[in-house]
Structure formats: structure tokens, C-alpha cells
Amino acid sequence: MRRTTVSDPPRVPWHTIDPEAVFEQLGTGPEGLPLDEVESRLERYGLNQLPQPRRRGPLARLADQFNNLLIYVLLGAALVTALLAHWVDTGVILGVVVINALIGFLQEGKAEKALDAIRGLLSPQATVIRAGRRQVLAAEHLVPGDVVVLQSGDKVPADLRLFRVRDLRIEEASLTGESVPVEKAATAVEPDAVLGDRSSMAYASTLVTYGQGAGVVVATGAGTEIGHISAMLGQVQTLTTPLLKQIAQFGRWLTAAILLLGGFTFLFGVLLRDYSATDMFLAAVGLVVAAIPEGLPAIITITLAIGVQRMARRNGIIRLLPAVETLGAVSVICSDKTGTLTRNEMTVQAVVTAGASYGVTGVGYDPHGAVILDGRDQDPAGQPELNEIARAALLCNDAQVRERDGAWQLDGDPTEGALVTLALKCGLDADYQQQLLPRADTIPFESEHRFMATLHHDHAGHGFVYLKGAPEKVLEMCTRQRRDGEDLPIDPDYWHGRVLELGRNGLRTLALAFRPTGDDHRELAFADVDGGLTLLGLVGIIDPPRQEAIEAVARCRSAGIRVKMITGDHAVTAMAIAGQMGIGDGSAALTGAELEHLDDAALCQRVGGVDVFARTSPEHKLRLVTALQAEGQVVAMTGDGVNDAPALKRSNVGVAMGRKGTEVAKEAAEMVLADDNFASIAHAVEEGRTVYDNIKKSILFILPTNGAEALILVAAVVLGRSLPITPVQILWVNMITAVTLALSLAFEPPEQDVMGRPPRRAEEPILSRFLVWRIIFVSIIAVIGSFGLFIYERQAGMDVEYARTVAVNTLVMFEAFYLLNTRYIDRSVLSREGLLGNRYVLYAIVVVVLFQLLYTYLPWMQLLFQSRPLEGMTWLRIVPVAASVFVLVEMEKALYPYLRRRGSS
Ligand code: ATP
């Protein structure tokens, strides 16, 4: 293993030094480091990683397992039994404490490992220039001297001395606590400037919110400013969620109630039933031990961890654990269109000029294809307007398509890739065009302004501005159009008609325009494209829907989840795609412009009924989430850009795109989609619902065991009989049922109808009235069965130890049968799938039966637990009595809907 930091790079006040001097000191330049130098620096300085947060060591973690009210109660019980010289009881209680701690320790370790593995999937990337070539690599491989390129949305990967900036703004809250982004510059600053004022530096872990820049790495890993701040090191995700807290609280409350009940039983027995104080004390200890569900917290933790792992396997990476629960309650999913619902594999299919409408053939980024007019292939060279569009498409573009291993591959934005391919189909050569008309400046594409413009010069003293973007936007900037080589006044009606036509066919539309300018024009400003451009034409791009997303939308519908599409695309295009995907009912889309005219109250009224939001910019997303939440919806919202971050934070489950998403969006999100695919959100919701179900099932399973044991003891005291189960035996029952039977429920697969029912209400308590009823119902059945058989054996003349062995076995067998019932909360399990669908349940039952045989027949177990070997005939009573719970609960499931209906009518 490589050490994180082998030696520190020199500590120099980099912010005070000019970029040239920085290059010199670090032996690098704007073209980056040579590759062999990178290797040796990596050896010297180590990986660019922050030191791992200090973990609690294994011993501390084990000790933590004892730090719990329940354990204190058990230890107290052990102490008192020891004082009374009941050594076996003391031994067993201590044994249980230790076993419980060990299990908690192991399971917590597993859960933490699972989360660690998932965190590893989220490691950030950096764009560097090495040996003159730009490449994207894992940020941990950066070394001092590397040249890093930043753009809005990036997380700064190491401490950088900036040497080129363009409107660069960085939010440094993680370092300085100041959440307003600061403007950066390449010029050196005062030596005594504080961290927040060092505008020539970009620090690791801060976020680029606007603009672009480039800088030299001056410190990596532990050497960075953030590496020096120890507060950051405490940021370990803890294994806790609101639900776990709620349950811990419930546990404390229950413990207190149980202690009280124990106290009363003790007094009742001593004062009213003439038991000896020692016997009664042991009975009260038994009661306390019986009623506490000691295995429950560990089982819930492991259920959550298993859920997180399952989601990761299906491409949903959970960043914040509470999202697992919230996902199960999601009632609206707001999704981006491009890349999430659609494939983001764009191909130009139509080109429209002032005088003609061309079709374009070919698939994907492969430039083999033809341009067709009136059903015939055209030679693009003979079509000057087409040629001009192709040139604009190629020059006002940052993407590249290349043939690699026989396949055409894209580097860059898919929309732009489609345009490059179009230009290649029109016979243009990318390198040649770029040499002919080198680019001097760029206004990059941003979702807010929806266009991109570039400035070029030929070698004969002419300048040109090329621009492409959303048609309405571009049309506003154009006063003229090109036809037959002439510039004529623009005919907006014609163009609007063509835009609608392309949109109705589901095509994404872009307009291209240009403007001549002078040789001395070297910097492009927004004012330069504010008007006076000449429209060249439109292109229509197809982006096919993802098949699996169409299916996922349908599944969400049946799960009572409304899917809303929020897109920057044109309303007509958005409606056409929504129609193909099964989103909405065909009623009109709401556009960003319309949305701006609605006040919050009016928006709340409209938002529920509209499923397609078009021409929106990221700020609209925030208003939409807020309005939906005001309507009581639980909202999952997708996003990828910097400006999506507020909406992602605001939504109940923010979902960032793993591939095309910016680091800023990922930081703001609860979940990251590894494949950017809508279908993965639907899967995550399904897993979220399953986790919640399984937690409910564990509770529903465990509590009746405790309830029955407590009731048996209370009944025995009240009836003045000897205890049918001793405290030590109770501990045995609790331990083996919790670690075998209950744990198997954590592995329950999703129920068939998990996506066929409406979302759970967010405020619904986990213990509904129905669950409380079921817990009481099953507890009573188990008490009657176990106590009943105990009395039966006594009356048949068996000694108390024999009768107790029967009672313990009956209780455990009850649990084994009831485990099968619990696989489905309110549906019948009488089917092949219902009975055999979870192999862990079957293994657990087999293991428990084996344990019970050992308990009954193994001599040292008999010594420890005072058990007796049972006769074969006795089992013939135990098994049918225990099986009764299975039949009764299935009957209750069948009857409950009728009872509930009558109750509510
Ligand atoms: P979503 O929000 O679902 O991802 P989208 O990707 O269609 O939707 P944007 O990327 O904001 O939304 O694009 C909005 C519009 O801007 C597009 O319809 C297109 O006309 C135009 N556009 C997209 N990409 C570019 C680009 N690289 N250069 C110029 N214009 C573009």
C-alpha cells in the first residue's frame, strides 16, 4: 500500500507569488508535467487523499456495545443474582450480555464496511493537463506541479495556485464557513491575506459555482489547507437515521415501563401472594429480561445496511442514510429529461434552412450518412446554406468524435457530438476547419442562457461570431436570415412554424446563427451577440427514450408515484417525449416563462396537475419542489448542474447524476445514480419500501416474543403458580430467536406488490394500530399455548423442570411458525413463494430446531438451563399447539379487511 504522504512539498506562500515563479519553483508549466515526472512525484508525495477520519478502534467499538440502558439493567441483575449466590443465573446473564455485545459489534462492523465500500464509489475526478494533453483522472492521482482545469460544478481537487481565470467564482464554505462564492483572479495577493481573501488560490474541497479557470497544484492530500483542519476529520457518517433514533427512544421508554412493571410484580408477589423475596426477585428479573427486545436495534441496523447494499447493486448510491427510509415514502419524482429518461445518444435527423428542409440519415456518432432533399441524396458541397450550418455546428462546439477500435466515440456533450457528426456527414474536416478559422474566445453554454457563442478569425483579417442555442433565444438575437447566399430580413413566423414542426416529432431543436466582425475583436461579451445576427437554420436532433425508463415510469404509476418531467427543452419536444414515456395525460406543459408569472399560491394550485415542465431553468426547480412539498408531497428530484444544488438540497431525496453530474450536485444530493438512469430511481424506491417493510416485519416478529414471555410471568404471579419459564430460560429464548429467526427477515426480498401500493404517508408511525393489535394477538396465543401446555404437564404429574422444558420448546416453536406468517404483513403466505421464498428463513428455522434439540437433550445444556429430555409423545403436543399460531394469524389476515371495513362503517 502506498502511504498517503511520503514527504511534504515545500510550504511556500504561493498566493503571493506570480504564476511564472510558481511554475518555475514546481518545475512545471501551462502544458503540465511530463508523464515520467508524474510517476516519480507520486512516489515522493503519495496519493492525494485526506487522512482517513479517526475511527473508533475495535476495542472502543466493543466497549460501546455495553453502553446501553438495557445492558446496565442486565448487569444489575447479574450482580444481584451473584449476591444471592445463584451462580448459574449470573453466568447465563453475563453470557447473554457478552454474546449480545459481540453480535452487535460484528453487525455494526459489517454495516460500516458496507457503507465504506459505497463511499468509495463516489471518489471525485479531476481534469488535468499533462504533457500538453487534457485528461480526466481520479483526483487522488494528482501531484504537486500538475495543471488542473476547473469549471463550474467541479470540486477543487487539491490546493491550486490559479494562473488563468474566467469569471471564476468558488464557494469556500467547507473551509472558511462563508457560503457566498468568492471571485478569483490570477494576480498575486498580499502576504498577510487571510484564507478567504487569497483570491489567487483555489483550495481543495471547495466548490466552483461559476466560470472557468486553471491552476497549478501546490499541495495535495494532508498538505492541503483542508488537510490541516481537523474539524473535517470528524465527518464520518454515523449509522443512525430518524427511524433508528425513534426506535432507540422507544426502547428507553419501554425499559423504564418494564422496570416499573417488574417492581410492581415483585411487590404484588411478596405482599399479596406470599412468595419469598428471593423467588419474587428472580421472577421480577426474569420479567425485566423477558420484556426487553435486546436484539432489535442490531437487526434494524443490519436491515438498513443490507438495503443500502442492494440499492448500490442497482446503481443507486446512498450518500446519507436517512434517504433509505425517505425513499420508501416518495410520492412524486421530478426527473430531468435528457440522459435520465432519454438515452442521451443524440443524432441530427433534420436540417431546416430558409429555403429547404433536409433529412439526415445514419445512426449515432458514426459519420456515415447522407443528407436528403425531396427523397434524393444531396452533395452537401453544392448546398451553400447547408455548408454554412455545418461549419457553424463544427466551430461553435467543444465536442469531438473519434473512431476508436472500430467504434465512433464521443468526447464531450452529446448534443454537440450530434452536431460534429452532422458536419462530418456534410464533408467538413474538423482539424482543417479549426486551422482555417481558429477560435479566439467562447461564451460557454449554460442552462440559464441556453446558447453558446464562439469568436473566430480567418487569416485574411476577418472575424466571425458563431452561435448556437435554443431557437426562441437565437431568433431574438437575429435580424436577418440566409437564403441563396443573400442576407434577407428575418421571417420569424416561418421559423416558429418549423420549430413547432420539429418539436412535434420529438426532436430537440437548435438554431445556428453567425455575424461577421472585425479582426481586432478578440474578446466575446454578451453584448456582442445581443442582436444583429444572421440566422443560418435549424437542426432537429433525436434522443430516443430509454426503454427501461418507460417501464420504470409505468411501475411508478402503479406504485402511486407521480413522475414529472422537468426539462430545459422546448415544450413541444418535451410533450412529444412525455407522450412516448407515458408521463402525464397529454395536458399542456407549463413553461418556465409561465411559471415565472405565477405567484407561490397559484403555483401550488397548478403544480399537482401538471406533469411536464419545459424551458425551465434550474431556479424553477426550487420553486417546484417547494410548491409540491407545500401540497404535502414527498419529493425526489434529480439534478446535475451547480444550479440544481438548492433544489436537490430542498427536496426530500435529492438525486444527482453520477456520470454527467457535477461534484456540486453530488454534494447536495442524498443519492447518486451510478448510471444516470431513471429506472434506477424506481429501483431505489422499491428497495426503500422493502427496507421499511422489513424493519416493520422484524418489529412485528420480535415484540410478541417479549410480550408473551412477560405475560406468562405476570400471569404466573397473579395466579400464584410456579414460573413456567425461568429468567435464564427466557434469555435463551430471546437470544436464539433474535439472532437466527429475526435476522432472516432482514434478507426478505421485496414483496410482489411493493410497487403496486400507494406510498406510505411520511408521518405514519412505524407501530400502527394494526401492528400493535397483531403483537398483542400473537402474544396472547403464545401465552395460552405455552402456559396451557405447562399446566397440562404439571397436572399429568410431570415435575416442574419437565413442564418448563415443554413451555420453552412451545414458545420457540411458536416463534418458528410465526416467522412464516410475518414474511408478509397482511397478505396470506399460503403459497409456494410465501412459504419457501426466503431461504434464510428456512435455514433459520432448521438451526433453531437443532438448537432446541441440543437444549433438550444435551447433558451440559440440561445442567445449565435445568432442561429435561422430552418424550417423543410430548413433541406431538408441542408441534400442533405451536402451529396454531400460523393458522390463527393467517385467518386473522383473511378476516381483518372485513373487520376493518365494518369498524369504519
Ligand atoms: P434536462 O434539463 O432534462 O437535462 P435539457 O438537457 O434538454 O433538459 P438543457 O441542457 O438546459 O436542457 O438545454 C436546453 C436547450 O438549450 C436545448 O433544448 C437546446 O436547444 C439548447 N442547448 C442544449 N445544449 C446546447 C449546447 N451545447 N449549445 C447550445 N445550445 C444548447
Side-chain angles (χ1 to χ4, degrees):
M1 235 178 80
R2 226 195 289 258
R3 282 175 49 203
T4 308
T5 304
V6 184
S7 70
D8 280 335
R11 280 186 69 75
V12 179
W14 298 107
H15 57 285
T16 62
I17 303 177
D18 280 331
E20 280 67 32
V22 175
F23 283 136
E24 198 178 319
Q25 285 207 32
L26 288 168
T28 182
E31 296 292 287
L33 294 167
L35 296 181
D36 47 351
E37 181 61 22
V38 171
E39 270 307 307
S40 75
R41 289 196 188 192
L42 202 55
E43 284 296 318
R44 193 157 12 126
Y45 298 117
L47 289 175
N48 175 33
Q49 282 171 337
L50 281 184
Q52 284 296 314
R54 268 266 298 281
R55 282 282 169 93
R56 285 173 307 154
L59 270 182
R61 273 204 302 134
L62 187 63
D64 260 8
Q65 304 294 329
F66 294 92
N67 184 12
N68 163 332
L69 186 58
L70 155 77
I71 302 290
Y72 296 158
V73 173
L74 286 181
L75 288 176
L79 183 70
V80 179
T81 48
L83 291 177
L84 295 171
H86 281 251
W87 298 114
V88 175
D89 296 52
T90 318
V92 172
I93 295 176
L94 288 179
V96 164
V97 168
V98 170
I99 293 174
N100 200 58
L102 275 179
I103 291 168
F105 172 75
L106 290 177
Q107 290 184 340
E108 204 181 282
K110 259 200 211 155
E112 275 189 4
K113 261 211 196 105
L115 293 182
D116 275 353
I118 282 157
R119 257 191 299 267
L121 297 175
L122 290 172
S123 58
Q125 308 253 299
T127 309
V128 293
I129 298 177
R130 280 179 179 169
R133 287 187 71 97
R134 196 184 253 254
Q135 51 177 301
V136 177
L137 44 78
E140 61 184 31
H141 289 121
L142 289 180
V143 294
D146 260 331
V147 169
V148 172
V149 182
L150 297 175
Q151 63 173 358
S152 65
D154 286 352
K155 186 172 180 176
V156 179
D159 284 1
L160 309 177
R161 170 66 172 90
L162 298 164
F163 63 86
R164 196 174 61 227
V165 300
R166 187 189 173 102
D167 294 337
L168 185 65
R169 271 177 247 155
I170 296 189
E171 191 238 278
E172 299 185 328
S174 63
L175 201 60
T176 61
E178 174 57 61
S179 61
V180 180
V182 279
E183 186 93 38
K184 294 291 178 179
T187 41
V189 294
E190 293 293 304
D192 50 1
V194 292
L195 220 53
D197 292 338
R198 296 185 190 166
S199 57
S200 56
M201 300 290 294
Y203 291 107
S205 90
T206 59
L207 300 167
V208 182
T209 58
Y210 196 82
Q212 288 141 353
V216 197
V217 174
V218 295
T220 59
T224 60
E225 289 298 333
I226 196 74
H228 297 148
I229 297 181
S230 52
M232 175 74 183
L233 306 183
Q235 268 194 11
V236 193
Q237 192 179 24
T238 48
L239 270 172
T240 186
T241 75
L243 180 66
L244 278 185
K245 279 192 210 139
Q246 202 183 322
I247 286 170
Q249 176 73 29
F250 170 73
R252 279 194 289 274
W253 179 86
L254 197 68
T255 312
I258 290 165
L259 282 173
L260 267 179
L261 183 68
F264 276 124
T265 317
F266 176 77
L267 292 177
F268 183 92
V270 174
L271 301 177
L272 299 178
R273 285 279 181 272
D274 292 338
Y275 284 100
S276 77
T278 314
D279 281 355
M280 237 7 263
F281 186 80
L282 286 177
V285 168
L287 180 66
V288 169
V289 171
I292 297 175
E294 54 266 72
L296 200 55
I299 284 171
I300 292 174
T301 312
I302 198 91
T303 309
L304 276 172
I306 289 174
V308 170
Q309 269 176 315
R310 278 198 198 158
M311 287 183 194
R313 247 180 267 139
R314 300 174 86 176
N315 293 314
I317 302 160
I318 298 294
R319 285 190 66 244
L320 301 169
L321 212 50
V324 182
E325 290 159 31
T326 323
L327 270 166
V330 162
S331 60
V332 174
I333 303 177
C334 296
S335 174
D336 287 344
K337 172 177 72 65
T338 308
T340 312
L341 292 166
T342 66
R343 297 226 290 258
N344 212 8
E345 289 161 13
M346 309 246 183
T347 315
V348 175
Q349 285 206 323
V351 179
V352 177
T353 63
S357 287
Y358 302 88
V360 184
T361 63
V363 189
Y365 303 111
D366 182 343
H368 295 94
V371 182
I372 300 172
L373 183 65
D374 300 329
R376 256 173 291 140
D377 277 17
Q378 300 293 317
D379 176 10
Q383 313 276 335
E385 266 103 46
L386 187 61
N387 235 317
E388 202 52 35
I389 289 181
R391 180 167 307 120
L394 188 62
L395 292 174
C396 184
N397 200 319
D398 286 326
Q400 287 173 334
V401 300
R402 273 194 225 123
E403 194 177 8
R404 243 177 266 143
D405 311 323
W408 286 85
Q409 283 173 357
L410 162 75
D411 282 332
D413 171 41
T415 306
E416 300 199 338
L419 293 175
V420 174
T421 306
L422 171 72
L424 300 184
K425 283 176 185 166
C426 289
L428 298 188
D429 180 89
D431 288 344
Y432 179 66
Q433 291 296 329
Q434 275 148 15
Q435 278 163 20
L436 214 61
L437 287 167
R439 190 193 292 185
D441 202 9
T442 313
I443 298 177
F445 174 77
E446 298 271 357
S447 295
E448 292 114 293
H449 53 248
R450 287 201 281 275
F451 73 85
M452 165 178 177
T454 51
L455 173 65
H456 302 261
H457 297 278
D458 65 9
H459 302 282
H462 306 104
F464 303 92
V465 176
Y466 284 108
L467 179 138
K468 71 176 195 307
E472 319 84 277
K473 194 82 195 177
V474 180
L475 274 165
E476 278 171 15
M477 303 168 171
C478 292
T479 44
R480 313 190 67 76
Q481 65 188 39
R482 258 291 157 89
R483 180 159 191 174
D484 301 330
E486 267 185 88
D487 275 4
L488 304 170
I490 195 161
D491 174 3
D493 293 344
Y494 167 81
W495 293 108
H496 283 302
R498 297 287 87 78
V499 169
L500 284 184
E501 221 168 79
L502 292 171
R504 280 199 197 101
N505 293 327
L507 296 182
R508 179 180 176 81
T509 322
L510 255 76
L512 296 126
F514 100 111
R515 204 194 95 183
T517 182
D519 194 30
D520 52 348
H521 185 184
R522 291 285 157 178
E523 273 187 24
L524 203 50
F526 278 87
D528 297 326
V529 293
D530 217 9
L533 272 80
T534 302
L535 188 65
L536 296 171
L538 305 173
V539 293
I541 303 176
I542 187 167
D543 177 17
R546 289 176 184 261
Q547 191 54 40
E548 64 279 21
I550 296 181
E551 286 152 23
V553 168
R555 271 195 303 137
C556 286
R557 270 201 166 186
S558 71
I561 299 169
R562 201 141 174 179
V563 179
K564 295 180 189 282
M565 176 200 277
I566 302 183
T567 175
D569 227 334
H570 196 282
V572 183
T573 311
M575 286 302 295
I577 304 271
Q580 291 168 20
M581 312 263 348
I583 293 177
D585 52 9
S587 51
L590 191 70
T591 64
E594 288 164 346
L595 206 149
E596 264 163 30
H597 286 115
L598 297 176
D599 62 15
D600 288 345
L603 183 62
C604 282
Q605 280 197 333
R606 288 290 299 279
V607 73
V610 179
D611 291 316
V612 180
F613 298 88
R615 282 294 186 239
T616 49
S617 42
E619 311 81 75
H620 298 139
K621 284 188 172 177
L622 183 61
R623 284 194 66 202
L624 286 176
V625 181
T626 315
L628 283 165
Q629 286 174 334
E631 292 295 284
Q633 306 289 353
V634 178
V635 186
M637 163 75 84
T638 67
D640 48 20
V642 187
N643 303 327
D644 289 336
L648 290 176
K649 273 203 187 125
R650 175 69 205 237
S651 60
N652 303 78
V653 183
V655 182
M657 299 300 144
R659 293 200 188 156
K660 69 170 186 163
T662 56
E663 291 299 327
V664 175
K666 289 182 202 170
E667 297 267 308
E670 270 88 19
M671 181 168 105
V672 176
L673 293 185
D675 60 353
D676 292 10
N677 190 340
F678 179 82
S680 303
I681 308 177
H683 288 150
V685 168
E686 183 180 337
E687 293 296 350
R689 288 183 173 197
T690 306
V691 165
Y692 200 81
D693 274 0
N694 290 354
I695 289 177
K696 244 165 64 171
K697 288 174 189 176
S698 312
I699 294 177
L700 194 59
F701 176 74
I702 289 186
L703 289 188
T705 321
N706 302 99
E709 289 163 344
L711 278 181
I712 289 176
L713 298 190
V714 173
V717 172
V718 171
L719 298 176
R721 302 197 66 106
S722 48
L723 297 181
I725 306 186
T726 65
V728 176
Q729 290 167 349
I730 283 171
L731 285 173
W732 163 262
V733 174
N734 285 359
M735 281 322 295
I736 71 150
T737 53
V739 300
T740 55
L741 298 177
L743 195 57
S744 68
L745 288 174
F747 298 91
E748 264 306 310
E751 283 196 35
Q752 250 165 22
D753 74 332
V754 71
M755 291 298 268
R757 45 174 135 112
R760 149 175 74 87
R761 282 180 300 118
E763 72 280 11
E764 182 185 292
I766 190 146
L767 273 182
S768 64
R769 288 222 312 259
F770 173 59
L771 292 199
V772 173
W773 146 252
R774 170 76 60 76
I775 290 166
I776 295 172
F777 178 59
V778 175
S779 305
I780 290 173
I781 299 174
V783 171
I784 296 175
S786 315
F787 208 172
L789 278 185
F790 174 79
I791 293 172
Y792 175 90
E793 297 295 341
R794 290 291 282 151
Q795 285 182 347
M798 297 311 215
D799 64 7
V800 71
E801 276 76 25
Y802 191 93
R804 280 179 178 155
T805 313
V806 171
V808 166
N809 273 305
T810 312
L811 195 57
V812 174
M813 292 302 146
F814 261 123
E815 291 298 318
F817 279 107
Y818 177 54
L819 181 66
L820 290 171
N821 294 120
T822 317
R823 289 205 53 218
Y824 302 151
I825 294 174
D826 45 19
R827 279 188 312 136
S828 164
V829 292
L830 291 173
S831 63
R832 199 186 145 75
E833 170 60 29
L835 294 173
L836 307 176
N838 178 351
R839 61 195 155 97
Y840 295 102
V841 163
L842 303 177
Y843 295 157
I845 293 177
V846 170
V847 170
V848 155
V849 169
L850 287 176
F851 269 126
Q852 280 316 113
L853 292 177
L854 296 179
Y855 175 90
T856 313
Y857 296 105
L858 206 64
W860 65 264
M861 285 281 221
Q862 293 168 353
L863 204 67
L864 205 58
F865 292 104
Q866 296 296 305
S867 55
R868 294 289 176 268
L870 298 185
E871 293 162 14
M873 280 304 289
T874 312
W875 288 107
L876 290 183
R877 284 189 289 278
I878 294 177
V879 175
V881 165
S884 67
V885 72
F886 181 78
V887 179
L888 289 169
V889 172
E890 288 306 300
M891 279 167 59
E892 178 245 22
K893 285 183 191 171
L895 284 176
Y896 188 76
Y898 299 107
L899 296 178
R900 186 154 53 179
R901 227 171 293 148
R902 292 189 70 191
S904 60
S905 62

